[in-house]
Amino acid sequence: AWDPDFERQVALKILHPFLANDPQVRERFYVEAAALAQLKHPGIMELYAIIEAQEQPILVLEYIEGDRLDSVLDRTGPLSWTIAVPLFLKL
């Protein structure tokens, strides 16, 4: 998405509408946001804001250019542990 206030591209995380009506799922979503707001690391998206649209919470996150993990796995197949472990240790 585009953030016109700061003229930057952002990533949005939303709940599926079916899940957005479940109070427990919504609570976990806000807990996730609170935890993310406490983290600062180059391998983790920064949380910019939490907004509500049509009574649904939306996380506004730092946009990081790159392939989605599912796209990479579609091309490569499952990663061996010798490749996966070093990738995750960089986080």
Side-chain angles (χ1 to χ4, degrees):
W2 182 253
D3 179 349
D5 294 332
F6 295 102
E7 298 185 2
R8 64 184 173 189
Q9 193 169 5
V10 296
L12 302 178
K13 182 173 183 176
I14 62 172
L15 292 172
H16 187 282
F18 176 77
L19 296 173
N21 294 324
D22 182 325
Q24 290 178 325
V25 172
R26 288 176 69 95
E27 178 62 26
R28 281 197 314 264
F29 196 72
Y30 281 102
V31 168
E32 175 188 341
L36 185 57
Q38 300 301 313
L39 301 175
K40 185 77 172 168
H41 188 279
I44 300 173
M45 293 182 204
E46 184 177 344
L47 175 65
Y48 293 144
I50 304 172
I51 60 175
E52 291 231 1
Q54 300 175 355
E55 299 181 22
Q56 179 170 328
I58 301 170
L59 302 186
V60 181
L61 303 158
E62 173 186 13
Y63 175 78
I64 299 175
E65 185 85 26
D67 287 339
R68 292 171 39 127
L69 180 58
D70 60 352
S71 297
V72 172
L73 295 176
D74 284 346
R75 288 193 310 268
T76 65
L79 299 177
S80 71
W81 68 270
T82 58
I83 294 173
V85 170
L87 287 175
F88 287 102
L89 288 177
K90 289 181 183 178
L91 296 176

